[in-house]
Amino acid sequence: MDPVKLLGLVVLLALCILCQLTAVHGGGDGGGVGIGRGCKFSAVYNFGDSNSDTGAISAALLEVLPPNGESFFGNPAGRFCDGRLVLDFIAEELKLPYLSPYLDSLGTNFRHGANFATGGSSIRPGGFSPFHLGIQINQFLRFKSLTKALYNQLTPNGKRGPSKGKLSRPEDFSKALYTFDIGQNDLAFGFQHTTEEQVTASIPDILANLSQAILKVYEEGGRFFWIHNTGPIGCLPYNVIYYKSKPGTIDENGCVKPQNAVAQEFNRQLKDMVLKLRGEHPLAVFTYVDVYSAKYALISHAKDLGFVDPMEFCCGSFYGYHIDCGKKATVNGTVYGNPCTDTARHISWDGIHYSQAANMWIAHHILNGSLSDPSVSIGEACHYPKHV
Ligand SMILES: *[C@@H]1O[C@H](CO)[C@@H](O)[C@H](O)[C@H]1NC(C)=O
Ligand SMILES: *[C@@H]1O[C@H](CO)[C@@H](O)[C@H](O)[C@H]1NC(C)=O
Ligand SMILES: *[C@@H]1O[C@H](CO)[C@@H](O)[C@H](O)[C@H]1NC(C)=O
């Protein structure tokens, strides 16, 4: 190697070591306010279920109905919520636009990422939805290759074409944040069709599939992963209502204890999986985010925080008469399906999905990194943990 190149390489190496040191040094003060350390993610690619679906069910199957979206968007906006989801607060925190669903054919802007999450999706095939994680990953592969092809076509002389502004930049795929919030439906489907013991026994297989999906994105050049664990599924009013409760199975907050125990076991193994990925792939950054603890804290402190009983929900009905949020029926003179008038005081929007007020609280508690491993805020989730 010629000496000039060699010198360049040495300088580069020194710089690299320096920046790593600064990153490690700056990491100690916590709180995500490190000056100049922000990762400036220019795109987010999300995979998940209805907790982060920003319009895929509406695009693919059936439009989400009002009053969904009433508190913020003024229309359902494809979300199973009165307003913004945790994913929307992630976009706000990173100063990016809300993510367009990959499946929407009109009005999309993929410049800053895309959302592959679809309501009902599970990690493994064969659940409630055809759009399981493997399909979402296939969609991402197609999205990425098509983006590259179109981007090159539209810029023959490096000029910005009119549509180019709505495409992801090919070089952004390796700088983007890849977010995962999926697994709740693997458990929910399991509870409906098998015993709690069988669901617990299936966790390693479910997580092997999740690990494969994450590695697929890694092989495609993805390096920054933000992985949500699963929430306290036993606290969803829907699950509580349909649970054939035996004595001693309901905790002090009204949640189904055995279901939450399965979710916690899932999360324990998920964390191990994330630590393993971190050990095996030092070129990537994996952040494990304990959403469970945020949601459970919110439910346990509902009253102090000004919320109504966490088992109440605002839209739809499962008591007496079952009607989904967005529909109405009059039975024996009683109208079912009217939404509540104090949406912002409800943790649960429709018995299954959290309200915007809850999502905002949850986002505030997870995005600054206080519930993450390693403990970094989302804006800093591109820095390698200390041991690297
Ligand atoms: C993160 O935010 C929550 C909620 O505002 C706060 O209680 C917690 O102390 C914050 N943690 C850090 C590390 O800033
Ligand atoms: C998950 O496992 C199923 C088989 O159970 C397989 O068909 C699918 O491709 C796997 N998904 C991923 C992302 O590896
Ligand atoms: C409506 O009234 C009928 C007859 O009294 C009763 O069987 C049924 O359970 C009632 N339905 C609801 C939803 O209250």
Side-chain angles (χ1 to χ4, degrees):
M1 187 181 277
D2 82 67
V4 177
K5 267 193 191 155
L6 191 68
L7 185 71
L9 204 72
V10 170
V11 170
L12 209 75
L13 252 169
L15 276 175
C16 267
I17 291 168
L18 213 87
C19 74
Q20 287 280 320
L21 282 177
T22 340
V24 168
H25 183 73
D29 46 43
V33 289
I35 296 154
R37 293 190 61 234
C39 299
K40 300 199 171 56
F41 294 116
S42 54
V44 172
Y45 294 98
N46 180 66
F47 303 88
D49 53 32
S50 57
N51 289 310
S52 62
D53 182 349
T54 56
I57 284 288
S58 280
L61 301 173
L62 194 66
E63 185 124 38
V64 173
L65 297 171
N68 285 289
E70 66 170 15
S71 305
F72 186 77
F73 297 101
N75 65 72
R79 287 153 173 84
F80 295 94
C81 182
D82 59 305
R84 287 162 291 177
L85 310 177
V86 170
L87 181 65
D88 296 314
F89 292 112
I90 289 180
E92 287 183 9
E93 176 73 16
L94 298 176
K95 305 200 164 41
L96 299 176
Y98 301 129
L99 293 188
S100 290
Y102 164 77
L103 291 173
D104 253 348
S105 50
L106 291 173
T108 51
N109 186 339
F110 297 121
R111 173 66 188 80
H112 297 286
N115 189 8
F116 300 90
T118 309
S121 290
S122 45
I123 293 170
R124 290 202 299 180
F128 301 115
S129 157
F131 301 102
H132 62 86
L133 184 58
I135 296 292
Q136 294 183 24
I137 296 293
N138 287 346
Q139 291 174 340
F140 169 72
L141 301 183
R142 159 82 175 156
F143 177 90
K144 184 166 170 267
S145 63
L146 195 55
T147 297
K148 285 199 166 165
L150 289 172
Y151 201 88
N152 294 336
Q153 255 176 40
L154 288 168
T155 56
N157 335 305
K159 281 204 190 115
R160 273 184 93 79
S163 316
K164 194 185 149 194
K166 295 191 173 179
L167 289 177
S168 299
R169 283 195 298 222
E171 67 267 28
D172 281 352
F173 285 107
S174 57
K175 299 179 198 151
L177 184 66
Y178 291 88
T179 54
F180 290 79
D181 188 326
I182 192 159
Q184 181 177 310
N185 287 314
D186 294 83
L187 305 186
F189 192 81
F191 291 145
Q192 270 187 21
H193 296 94
T194 63
T195 65
E196 281 140 17
E197 291 70 31
Q198 286 171 302
V199 181
T200 304
S202 71
I203 292 172
D205 280 349
I206 298 170
L207 291 177
N209 222 248
L210 174 60
S211 178
Q212 269 183 53
I214 292 172
L215 285 176
K216 198 95 188 168
V217 175
Y218 177 86
E219 283 161 24
E220 291 291 313
R223 287 297 177 264
F224 308 114
F225 298 91
W226 178 266
I227 302 160
H228 288 181
N229 71 4
T230 200
I233 188 168
C235 296
L236 300 179
Y238 176 90
N239 282 33
V240 174
I241 291 161
Y242 288 106
Y243 189 73
K244 286 158 202 65
S245 153
K246 292 163 225 124
T249 51
I250 301 296
D251 74 10
E252 66 277 17
N253 294 305
C255 306
V256 180
K257 275 199 276 192
Q259 292 191 349
N260 280 350
V262 176
Q264 284 173 312
E265 178 57 21
F266 178 91
N267 290 340
R268 195 186 61 71
Q269 294 186 33
L270 172 64
K271 188 169 181 182
D272 282 350
M273 184 205 94
V274 172
L275 297 181
K276 188 159 174 274
L277 284 172
R278 197 182 287 162
E280 289 170 358
H281 302 279
L283 294 179
V285 177
F286 299 94
T287 308
Y288 169 84
V289 188
D290 186 7
V291 177
Y292 183 105
S293 291
K295 288 181 171 171
Y296 197 78
L298 172 62
I299 288 160
S300 327
H301 300 119
K303 211 172 155 201
D304 307 331
L305 293 166
F307 287 99
V308 300
D309 182 328
M311 293 306 136
E312 281 183 29
F313 51 96
C314 183
C315 189
S317 165
F318 303 129
Y319 298 101
Y321 188 77
H322 180 135
I323 190 144
D324 292 335
C325 178
K327 299 212 170 113
K328 268 190 198 150
T330 308
V331 185
N332 298 347
T334 305
V335 182
Y336 291 88
N338 279 330
C340 65
T341 49
D342 53 349
T343 314
R345 295 191 60 229
H346 284 74
I347 290 175
S348 183
W349 162 242
D350 60 6
I352 297 175
H353 306 101
Y354 288 78
S355 68
Q356 169 176 269
N359 287 332
M360 186 183 283
W361 194 93
I362 294 158
H364 279 150
H365 284 78
I366 60 169
L367 298 187
N368 69 6
S370 54
L371 294 173
S372 298
D373 182 313
S375 180
V376 287
S377 70
I378 193 159
E380 307 281 325
C382 64
H383 300 295
Y384 296 94
K386 279 185 184 96
H387 70 267
V388 179

Coordinates of all heavy atoms in Angstrom, one line a residue, residues 22-91:
T22 N -15.5 9.4 22.5 CA -16.4 10.5 22.8 C -17.8 9.9 23.1 O -18.4 10.3 24.0 CB -16.4 11.5 21.7 OG1 -15.3 11.3 20.9 CG2 -16.5 12.9 22.2
A23 N -18.1 9.0 22.2 CA -19.5 8.4 22.4 C -19.6 7.7 23.7 O -20.6 7.9 24.4 CB -19.7 7.4 21.2
V24 N -18.6 6.9 24.1 CA -18.6 6.2 25.4 C -18.6 7.2 26.5 O -19.4 7.1 27.4 CB -17.4 5.3 25.5 CG1 -17.3 4.7 26.9 CG2 -17.6 4.1 24.5
H25 N -17.7 8.2 26.4 CA -17.6 9.2 27.4 C -19.0 10.0 27.7 O -19.4 10.1 28.8 CB -16.5 10.2 27.1 CG -16.3 11.2 28.2 ND1 -15.7 10.9 29.4 CD2 -16.7 12.5 28.3 CE1 -15.7 11.9 30.1 NE2 -16.3 13.0 29.5
G26 N -19.5 10.4 26.5 CA -20.8 11.1 26.6 C -21.9 10.3 27.1 O -22.9 10.8 27.6
G27 N -21.8 9.0 27.0 CA -22.9 8.1 27.4 C -23.2 8.1 28.9 O -24.3 7.7 29.3
G28 N -22.3 8.5 29.7 CA -22.4 8.4 31.1 C -23.5 9.3 31.7 O -24.1 9.0 32.7
D29 N -23.7 10.4 31.1 CA -24.6 11.4 31.8 C -26.1 11.2 31.6 O -26.9 11.8 32.3 CB -24.2 12.8 31.3 CG -24.0 13.0 29.8 OD1 -24.9 12.4 29.1 OD2 -23.0 13.6 29.4
G30 N -26.4 10.2 30.7 CA -27.8 9.8 30.6 C -28.8 11.0 30.1 O -28.3 12.1 29.9
G31 N -30.0 10.6 30.0 CA -31.0 11.7 29.7 C -31.2 12.1 28.3 O -32.1 12.8 27.9
G32 N -30.3 11.6 27.4 CA -30.4 11.9 26.0 C -30.2 13.3 25.6 O -30.8 13.8 24.6
V33 N -29.5 14.1 26.4 CA -29.3 15.5 26.0 C -27.9 15.8 25.6 O -27.5 16.9 25.5 CB -29.7 16.5 27.2 CG1 -31.2 16.5 27.4 CG2 -29.0 16.1 28.5
G34 N -27.1 14.7 25.4 CA -25.7 14.8 24.9 C -25.6 15.8 23.8 O -26.3 15.6 22.8
I35 N -24.8 16.8 23.9 CA -24.7 17.8 22.9 C -23.9 17.3 21.7 O -22.9 16.7 21.8 CB -23.9 19.1 23.4 CG1 -24.8 19.7 24.5 CG2 -23.6 20.1 22.3 CD1 -24.0 20.4 25.5
G36 N -24.5 17.4 20.5 CA -23.9 17.0 19.3 C -23.8 15.5 19.1 O -23.2 15.0 18.2
R37 N -24.5 14.7 20.0 CA -24.4 13.3 19.8 C -25.6 12.7 19.1 O -25.6 11.5 18.9 CB -24.3 12.6 21.2 CG -23.0 13.0 21.9 CD -22.8 12.1 23.2 NE -22.8 10.7 22.8 CZ -23.6 9.8 23.3 NH1 -24.5 10.1 24.2 NH2 -23.5 8.5 22.9
G38 N -26.6 13.5 18.8 CA -27.8 13.0 18.2 C -27.5 12.2 16.9 O -26.5 12.5 16.2
C39 N -28.2 11.2 16.7 CA -27.9 10.2 15.6 C -28.5 10.8 14.3 O -28.0 10.3 13.2 CB -28.5 8.9 15.9 SG -27.9 8.1 17.4
K40 N -29.4 11.7 14.3 CA -29.9 12.2 13.1 C -30.4 11.1 12.1 O -30.0 11.1 11.0 CB -28.9 13.1 12.4 CG -28.5 14.3 13.2 CD -27.9 15.5 12.4 CE -27.7 16.7 13.2 NZ -26.9 16.5 14.4
F41 N -31.2 10.2 12.6 CA -31.8 9.2 11.8 C -32.6 9.9 10.7 O -33.5 10.7 11.1 CB -32.7 8.3 12.6 CG -32.0 7.4 13.6 CD1 -32.2 7.6 14.9 CD2 -31.0 6.5 13.2 CE1 -31.6 6.8 15.9 CE2 -30.4 5.7 14.1 CZ -30.6 5.8 15.5
S42 N -32.4 9.6 9.5 CA -33.2 10.3 8.4 C -34.3 9.4 8.0 O -35.1 9.9 7.2 CB -32.3 10.7 7.3 OG -31.6 9.5 6.8
A43 N -34.4 8.2 8.5 CA -35.6 7.4 8.1 C -35.8 6.4 9.3 O -34.9 6.0 10.0 CB -35.3 6.6 6.8
V44 N -37.1 6.0 9.3 CA -37.5 4.9 10.3 C -38.3 3.9 9.5 O -39.2 4.2 8.7 CB -38.4 5.5 11.4 CG1 -39.0 4.3 12.2 CG2 -37.7 6.4 12.3
Y45 N -37.9 2.6 9.6 CA -38.7 1.5 9.1 C -39.3 0.7 10.2 O -38.6 0.3 11.1 CB -37.8 0.7 8.2 CG -37.4 1.4 7.0 CD1 -36.1 2.0 6.9 CD2 -38.2 1.7 5.9 CE1 -35.7 2.8 5.9 CE2 -37.9 2.5 4.8 CZ -36.6 3.0 4.8 OH -36.3 3.8 3.8
N46 N -40.6 0.6 10.2 CA -41.3 0.0 11.3 C -42.0 -1.3 10.9 O -42.6 -1.4 9.9 CB -42.3 0.9 11.9 CG -43.0 0.3 13.1 OD1 -42.4 0.0 14.2 ND2 -44.3 0.0 13.0
F47 N -41.9 -2.3 11.8 CA -42.5 -3.6 11.6 C -43.4 -3.9 12.9 O -42.9 -3.7 14.0 CB -41.5 -4.7 11.5 CG -40.6 -4.4 10.3 CD1 -39.4 -3.7 10.5 CD2 -40.9 -4.9 9.0 CE1 -38.6 -3.4 9.4 CE2 -40.0 -4.6 8.0 CZ -38.9 -3.9 8.2
G48 N -44.6 -4.3 12.7 CA -45.4 -4.5 13.9 C -46.9 -4.9 13.6 O -47.2 -5.4 12.5
D49 N -47.7 -4.7 14.6 CA -49.1 -5.0 14.6 C -49.9 -3.7 14.8 O -49.4 -2.6 14.5 CB -49.4 -6.0 15.7 CG -49.0 -5.6 17.1 OD1 -49.0 -4.4 17.3 OD2 -48.6 -6.5 17.9
S50 N -51.2 -3.9 15.2 CA -52.0 -2.7 15.3 C -51.5 -1.6 16.3 O -51.9 -0.5 16.2 CB -53.5 -3.1 15.8 OG -53.4 -3.8 17.0
N51 N -50.6 -2.0 17.2 CA -50.1 -1.0 18.1 C -49.3 0.1 17.3 O -49.1 1.2 17.8 CB -49.1 -1.6 19.1 CG -49.9 -2.4 20.2 OD1 -50.9 -1.9 20.7 ND2 -49.5 -3.7 20.4
S52 N -48.8 -0.3 16.1 CA -48.1 0.7 15.3 C -48.6 0.8 13.9 O -47.9 1.3 13.0 CB -46.6 0.4 15.4 OG -46.3 -0.8 14.9
D53 N -49.8 0.3 13.6 CA -50.3 0.3 12.2 C -50.8 1.8 11.9 O -51.7 2.3 12.6 CB -51.5 -0.7 12.1 CG -52.1 -0.7 10.7 OD1 -51.8 0.1 9.8 OD2 -52.9 -1.7 10.4
T54 N -50.2 2.4 10.9 CA -50.6 3.8 10.6 C -51.5 3.8 9.3 O -51.6 4.8 8.6 CB -49.4 4.7 10.4 OG1 -48.5 4.2 9.4 CG2 -48.7 4.9 11.7
G55 N -52.1 2.6 9.0 CA -53.0 2.6 7.8 C -53.0 1.4 6.9 O -53.6 1.4 5.9
A56 N -52.3 0.4 7.4 CA -52.2 -0.8 6.5 C -53.5 -1.6 6.4 O -53.9 -2.1 5.3 CB -51.0 -1.7 7.0
I57 N -54.2 -1.7 7.6 CA -55.4 -2.5 7.5 C -56.4 -1.7 6.6 O -57.1 -2.3 5.8 CB -56.0 -2.6 8.9 CG1 -55.3 -3.8 9.7 CG2 -57.5 -2.9 8.9 CD1 -55.5 -5.2 9.2
S58 N -56.4 -0.4 6.8 CA -57.3 0.5 5.9 C -57.0 0.3 4.5 O -57.9 0.2 3.6 CB -57.2 1.9 6.3 OG -58.0 2.2 7.5
A59 N -55.7 0.2 4.2 CA -55.3 0.1 2.8 C -55.6 -1.3 2.2 O -56.0 -1.5 1.1 CB -53.8 0.3 2.6
A60 N -55.3 -2.3 3.0 CA -55.4 -3.7 2.5 C -56.7 -4.4 2.6 O -57.1 -5.2 1.8 CB -54.3 -4.6 3.2
L61 N -57.5 -4.1 3.7 CA -58.6 -4.9 4.0 C -59.9 -4.1 4.1 O -60.9 -4.3 3.4 CB -58.4 -5.7 5.3 CG -57.2 -6.7 5.2 CD1 -57.0 -7.3 6.6 CD2 -57.4 -7.8 4.1
L62 N -59.9 -3.2 5.1 CA -61.2 -2.5 5.4 C -60.8 -1.2 6.1 O -60.0 -1.3 7.1 CB -62.0 -3.4 6.3 CG -63.5 -3.0 6.5 CD1 -64.3 -3.2 5.2 CD2 -64.1 -3.9 7.5
E63 N -61.4 -0.1 5.7 CA -61.1 1.2 6.3 C -61.5 1.2 7.8 O -62.6 0.8 8.2 CB -61.9 2.2 5.6 CG -61.6 3.6 6.0 CD -61.1 4.5 4.9 OE1 -61.7 4.4 3.8 OE2 -60.2 5.3 5.1
V64 N -60.6 1.7 8.6 CA -60.8 1.9 10.0 C -61.9 3.1 10.1 O -61.7 4.1 9.4 CB -59.5 2.3 10.7 CG1 -59.8 2.7 12.2 CG2 -58.5 1.2 10.7
L65 N -62.9 2.9 10.9 CA -64.0 3.9 11.0 C -63.8 5.0 12.0 O -63.1 4.8 13.0 CB -65.3 3.1 11.3 CG -65.7 2.1 10.3 CD1 -66.9 1.3 10.9 CD2 -66.1 2.7 9.0
P66 N -64.5 6.1 11.8 CA -64.6 7.1 12.9 C -65.4 6.4 14.1 O -66.2 5.5 13.8 CB -65.4 8.3 12.3 CG -65.5 8.0 10.9 CD -65.2 6.6 10.6
P67 N -65.2 6.8 15.3 CA -64.5 8.0 15.8 C -63.0 7.8 16.0 O -62.4 8.6 16.6 CB -65.2 8.3 17.1 CG -65.6 6.9 17.6 CD -66.0 6.2 16.4
N68 N -62.4 6.7 15.4 CA -61.0 6.6 15.5 C -60.4 7.9 14.9 O -60.9 8.5 13.9 CB -60.5 5.4 14.7 CG -60.8 4.1 15.4 OD1 -60.1 3.8 16.4 ND2 -61.7 3.3 14.9
G69 N -59.3 8.4 15.5 CA -58.7 9.6 15.0 C -59.2 10.9 15.5 O -58.7 12.0 15.2
E70 N -60.4 10.8 16.2 CA -61.1 12.1 16.5 C -60.3 13.1 17.3 O -60.6 14.3 17.2 CB -62.4 11.8 17.2 CG -62.2 11.2 18.6 CD -63.5 11.0 19.5 OE1 -64.6 11.1 18.9 OE2 -63.3 10.8 20.7
S71 N -59.4 12.6 18.2 CA -58.7 13.6 19.1 C -57.5 14.3 18.4 O -57.0 15.3 19.0 CB -58.1 12.8 20.3 OG -59.1 12.1 20.9
F72 N -57.1 13.8 17.3 CA -55.9 14.5 16.7 C -56.0 14.7 15.2 O -55.9 15.8 14.7 CB -54.7 13.7 17.0 CG -53.4 14.4 16.5 CD1 -52.9 15.4 17.3 CD2 -52.8 14.0 15.4 CE1 -51.7 16.1 16.9 CE2 -51.6 14.6 15.0 CZ -51.1 15.7 15.7
F73 N -56.3 13.7 14.4 CA -56.2 13.8 13.0 C -57.5 14.3 12.4 O -57.5 14.9 11.3 CB -55.9 12.4 12.3 CG -54.6 11.9 12.7 CD1 -54.5 10.9 13.7 CD2 -53.4 12.3 12.1 CE1 -53.2 10.4 14.1 CE2 -52.2 11.8 12.5 CZ -52.1 10.9 13.5
G74 N -58.6 14.2 13.2 CA -59.9 14.7 12.6 C -60.5 13.7 11.7 O -61.6 13.9 11.2
N75 N -59.8 12.6 11.4 CA -60.4 11.5 10.6 C -59.6 10.2 11.1 O -58.6 10.3 11.8 CB -60.2 11.7 9.1 CG -58.7 11.7 8.7 OD1 -58.0 10.7 8.7 ND2 -58.2 12.9 8.5
P76 N -60.1 9.0 10.8 CA -59.5 7.8 11.4 C -58.0 7.7 11.1 O -57.2 7.1 11.9 CB -60.2 6.7 10.8 CG -61.6 7.3 10.4 CD -61.3 8.7 10.0
A77 N -57.5 8.2 10.0 CA -56.0 8.2 9.7 C -55.5 6.7 9.8 O -54.3 6.5 10.0 CB -55.3 9.1 10.7
G78 N -56.3 5.7 9.6 CA -55.9 4.4 9.5 C -55.4 3.8 10.8 O -54.9 2.7 10.9
R79 N -55.6 4.5 11.9 CA -55.1 4.1 13.2 C -56.3 3.6 14.1 O -57.3 4.2 14.1 CB -54.4 5.2 13.9 CG -53.0 5.6 13.3 CD -52.7 7.0 13.5 NE -51.4 7.4 13.1 CZ -51.1 7.8 11.9 NH1 -52.0 7.8 10.9 NH2 -49.8 8.2 11.5
F80 N -56.0 2.5 14.9 CA -56.9 2.0 15.9 C -56.7 2.8 17.2 O -56.1 2.3 18.1 CB -56.7 0.5 16.1 CG -57.1 -0.3 14.9 CD1 -56.1 -0.7 14.0 CD2 -58.4 -0.7 14.6 CE1 -56.4 -1.5 12.9 CE2 -58.7 -1.5 13.5 CZ -57.7 -1.8 12.6
C81 N -57.1 4.0 17.2 CA -56.8 4.9 18.3 C -57.5 6.2 18.0 O -57.9 6.5 16.9 CB -55.3 5.2 18.3 SG -54.8 6.3 19.7
D82 N -57.8 7.0 19.1 CA -58.4 8.3 18.9 C -57.4 9.3 18.3 O -57.8 10.4 17.9 CB -59.0 8.8 20.2 CG -58.0 8.9 21.3 OD1 -57.3 8.0 21.6 OD2 -57.8 10.0 21.8
G83 N -56.1 9.0 18.3 CA -55.1 9.9 17.8 C -53.8 9.2 17.5 O -53.8 8.2 16.8
R84 N -52.7 9.8 18.1 CA -51.4 9.3 17.7 C -51.0 8.0 18.5 O -51.4 7.8 19.6 CB -50.4 10.4 18.0 CG -50.4 11.5 17.0 CD -49.7 12.8 17.5 NE -50.5 13.4 18.6 CZ -50.1 14.4 19.3 NH1 -49.0 15.0 19.0 NH2 -50.9 14.9 20.2
L85 N -50.2 7.2 17.8 CA -49.7 6.0 18.4 C -48.3 6.3 18.9 O -47.7 7.3 18.6 CB -49.6 4.9 17.3 CG -50.8 4.7 16.5 CD1 -50.5 3.6 15.4 CD2 -52.0 4.2 17.3
V86 N -47.7 5.4 19.6 CA -46.3 5.5 20.1 C -45.4 5.8 18.9 O -44.5 6.6 19.0 CB -45.9 4.3 20.9 CG1 -44.4 4.3 21.2 CG2 -46.7 4.2 22.2
L87 N -45.6 5.1 17.8 CA -44.8 5.3 16.6 C -44.9 6.7 16.1 O -43.9 7.2 15.6 CB -45.2 4.3 15.5 CG -44.4 4.4 14.2 CD1 -43.0 4.0 14.4 CD2 -45.0 3.5 13.1
D88 N -46.0 7.3 16.2 CA -46.1 8.7 15.8 C -45.3 9.6 16.7 O -44.7 10.6 16.3 CB -47.6 9.2 15.8 CG -48.5 8.4 14.8 OD1 -48.0 8.3 13.7 OD2 -49.6 8.0 15.2
F89 N -45.3 9.3 18.0 CA -44.5 10.1 19.0 C -43.0 9.9 18.7 O -42.2 10.7 18.9 CB -44.9 9.8 20.4 CG -46.2 10.3 20.7 CD1 -47.3 9.5 21.0 CD2 -46.5 11.7 20.7 CE1 -48.6 9.9 21.3 CE2 -47.8 12.2 21.0 CZ -48.8 11.3 21.3
I90 N -42.6 8.7 18.2 CA -41.3 8.4 17.8 C -40.9 9.3 16.7 O -39.8 10.0 16.7 CB -41.1 6.9 17.4 CG1 -41.1 6.0 18.7 CG2 -39.8 6.7 16.7 CD1 -41.0 4.5 18.5
A91 N -41.8 9.4 15.7 CA -41.5 10.2 14.5 C -41.3 11.7 15.0 O -40.4 12.4 14.5 CB -42.6 10.1 13.5

